[in-house]
Amino acid sequence: MAKGTFGVTTPIYYINAAPHLGTAYTTVAADTITRYQRMNGYDVSFVTGTDEHGQKIAETAEKNAMTPQAWCDSLAPAFTDAWKTLNIDYTNFVRTTEDRQTRAVQKFWGALHDAGWLYKSAYEGWYCVHEETYYAESDLEKNDDGEFVCPDCKRPVRYEASGEENWFFKLSEFQDRLLAFYDEHPDFIRPVTRRNEIVSFVKGGLNDLSISRSSFDWGIPVPWDEGHVFYVWADALIAYLTGIGYGDDEREAEFDGRWPIQYHFVGKDITRFHCVIWPAMLMAAGMPITHTVFGHGFLLTKGEKMSKSKGNGLMPADLVKVFGVDAYRYYFMSDVQFGHDGSISMERMVQVYNADLANTWGNLVSRVTNMTTKYFEGRVPEAPAAAAENPLREIADTLYADYDACMAEVDFTGAAAAVQKLASRVNLYVEESAPWALAKDPARADELAGVLYNCLEAIRIIALYLAPFMPNTSAEVFRRLGLGDIAEVTDIKEATAWGQLPASVAVEVGEPLFPRLDVDNLPEL
């Protein structure tokens, strides 16, 4: 029986171009924590998707001589294909152009309209089409020509004073409630640097939020006012609810059981939407609020944020071609501290790949399975009782507590390091025990059996803990050890208890899991 539910979301990504390393980073993180919590006994949900409405999409479609829907349909596979390439096991992918999203958005905002949280007024102010965001003049920057530009994408902004009437959400009425909520729930915004930024912003005062537009029609219709469509953020945020059944009568019980979820994983540039607007919307609706919004840092190349708009965004497939899927996933989760900006480079990726995967983990699996084949005809030896007490077990017995604590803090780097500690100790244990020397003395056959059994058992346990990071590799290691489907594990604490590797099972050597790479001789990107 499941321990309970565990839910995580990524942003609902703008569909304007294929995902790059930054969007993939968020998505791999969500997949990693979801895979772990599934192995940890939770009934998980993982919602991602694409944001397909708004002025920017309509204008881009027109430039490409396509309807907005046809334009979105042509781009959506770039996301689903990328996530398939990276072995992303989401439970629900929401496209905001789907009928179920329309039902959910209209239900949510219809309830707020009926409760008196919305009013109609003319909008006047600065607007960035690219970011689909309104800005106060005090938030804007100026370019070299003296023009006001968006603080995020640095493009010129428009001053919209057309007298267009919009529907507004009474966000200004939630300032005190939000500040009280932040005090009562200190873990709602993480890491703490993001929390400090949001608290300071809200203390400065909130303006009511435009939630509709009438100057274009590419959006979900406002049901009580013909000619209005919902503003893109008023639409996209609701997808977090849509993905777990909101607005679907047949999934009402599922939604009630899953909401609120544990995490929204977002880039730090969109924390205001998720930590100010979104909780205020939920408060107005009388709904519980997500436990934590985790605003991670940017991936930096040469000190500059990686993004599609800046044109420096590599595609995930480029690096998968060089490193493989699992090594790609492992690098970004183990070497880039989640929550902080991280500088990435091909040189560093090769360094981590060779040190952690080729030399430590891959080499360990190869040398131990080779010695098992050589000394025990390719079968797991029967370990003597005396072998049960060993330095590997000492680490393995505390690994669940260390690893689980890291995952609870969304510390992927710490979790990976805890596993690598055991892998490094097994390699040292091999050197200390010298099985090749023990094999020369028939009187020490039991000792040899114990050493190799301990190594194989440690490999089994390491494979389990690395499965959330590198699911394909761990599944392959289980196959080589003659074990079952690692994806069926739903109690990792029990599964990693020492001594469960059955004796006499056939072991396969196989090809090297991670052949060493030469940074000066990599495939062309």
Side-chain angles (χ1 to χ4, degrees), residues 207-424:
N207 297 318
D208 290 344
L209 178 73
S210 171
I211 64 154
S212 77
R213 301 297 302 274
S214 59
S215 57
F216 60 90
D217 62 3
W218 183 239
I220 293 175
V222 174
W224 63 85
D225 195 345
E226 186 177 355
H228 284 254
V229 295
F230 286 104
Y231 169 54
V232 61
W233 277 97
D235 170 2
L237 288 166
I238 307 302
Y240 300 142
L241 308 179
T242 306
I244 55 174
Y246 180 81
D248 185 341
D249 292 341
E250 295 182 0
R251 298 178 67 194
E252 184 176 351
E254 177 188 352
F255 176 76
D256 291 342
R258 292 194 179 280
W259 187 264
I261 61 171
Q262 278 64 35
Y263 289 105
H264 294 308
F265 283 176
V266 301
K268 66 180 183 179
D269 53 334
I270 55 173
T271 52
R272 286 188 187 180
F273 293 101
H274 289 82
C275 299
V276 181
I277 297 171
W278 181 225
M281 288 165 54
L282 293 168
M283 288 176 179
M287 296 173 65
I289 296 170
T290 303
H291 296 300
T292 300
V293 176
F294 203 109
H296 66 73
F298 294 145
L299 300 180
L300 305 175
T301 56
K302 299 179 181 178
E304 187 175 55
K305 175 190 172 185
M306 179 171 290
S307 70
K308 293 186 287 287
S309 63
K310 291 182 180 296
N312 63 355
L314 285 170
M315 297 300 173
D318 296 332
L319 294 181
V320 168
K321 178 181 176 182
V322 176
F323 298 96
V325 174
D326 277 7
Y328 172 105
R329 292 171 56 107
Y330 178 84
Y331 168 75
F332 284 101
M333 292 298 96
S334 68
D335 199 56
V336 181
Q337 183 70 51
F338 203 65
H340 302 279
D341 290 348
S343 294
I344 64 172
S345 67
M346 194 67 74
E347 292 77 12
R348 179 59 182 165
M349 291 187 74
V350 171
Q351 183 181 15
V352 171
Y353 174 97
N354 284 336
D356 287 8
L357 302 183
N359 295 350
T360 301
W361 178 223
N363 179 56
L364 173 62
V365 174
S366 292
R367 70 193 306 203
V368 172
T369 53
N370 267 301
M371 286 188 288
T372 303
T373 297
K374 182 175 183 180
Y375 303 135
F376 291 96
E377 298 181 340
R379 294 192 175 272
V380 177
E382 185 80 43
E389 300 302 321
N390 63 82
L392 307 185
R393 182 174 184 173
E394 291 176 9
I395 298 175
D397 283 350
T398 63
L399 186 49
Y400 173 81
D402 295 341
Y403 185 99
D404 186 66
C406 288
M407 284 298 196
E409 291 297 314
V410 200
D411 180 7
F412 301 113
T413 302
V419 185
Q420 285 292 337
K421 178 182 176 182
L422 176 57
S424 296

Side-chain angles (χ1 to χ4, degrees), residues 139-209:
D139 292 330
L140 299 175
E141 299 175 4
K142 285 189 175 181
N143 62 18
D144 293 340
D145 296 326
E147 296 176 296
F148 280 121
V149 297
C150 171
D152 294 315
C153 71
K154 313 304 180 187
R155 289 174 169 82
V157 292
R158 300 177 180 176
Y159 190 80
E160 299 194 348
S162 61
E164 174 190 348
E165 283 196 315
N166 296 347
W167 283 92
F168 284 78
F169 170 52
K170 297 177 182 178
L171 181 63
S172 60
E173 296 191 17
F174 289 88
Q175 178 179 1
D176 292 342
R177 288 181 64 179
L178 285 168
L179 291 172
F181 179 79
Y182 302 151
D183 284 341
E184 294 164 7
H185 301 85
D187 287 336
F188 172 63
I189 307 170
R190 295 182 56 200
V192 68
T193 52
R194 310 282 181 265
R195 183 180 186 278
N196 295 338
E197 293 165 2
I198 294 298
V199 169
S200 177
F201 173 75
V202 174
K203 284 182 176 179
L206 298 175
N207 297 318
D208 290 344
L209 178 73

